[in-house]
Amino acid sequence: MELDPIKELEVLLNGVIDPQRLDDLAGLLSHFGLRFTLELSDDSGALVREIRA
């Protein structure tokens, strides 16, 4: 996973995660009170799932 600052208060978390663990990651970010959008793409780059909180 890589963290890339993109704006003063925004960070892009970029990397590979097991699709079955996406809900776990969303729960962890929510636990810390962070606002986020997670996007899961398939091998062709097509958006498969999106979680916003």
Side-chain angles (χ1 to χ4, degrees):
M1 301 301 277
E2 295 179 15
L3 296 173
D4 298 318
I6 56 174
K7 292 184 180 176
E8 186 174 318
L9 297 175
E10 294 182 19
V11 175
L12 175 64
L13 176 65
N14 188 16
V16 177
I17 186 171
D18 180 344
Q20 296 177 351
R21 303 295 308 266
L22 193 64
D23 289 323
D24 295 335
L25 178 57
L28 181 65
L29 296 172
S30 293
H31 175 77
F32 288 108
L34 300 172
R35 294 180 48 199
F36 62 89
T37 300
L38 297 175
E39 296 178 344
L40 178 65
S41 301
D42 64 15
D43 291 335
S44 70
L47 184 63
V48 175
R49 186 168 174 214
E50 181 177 70
I51 302 173
R52 291 180 180 264

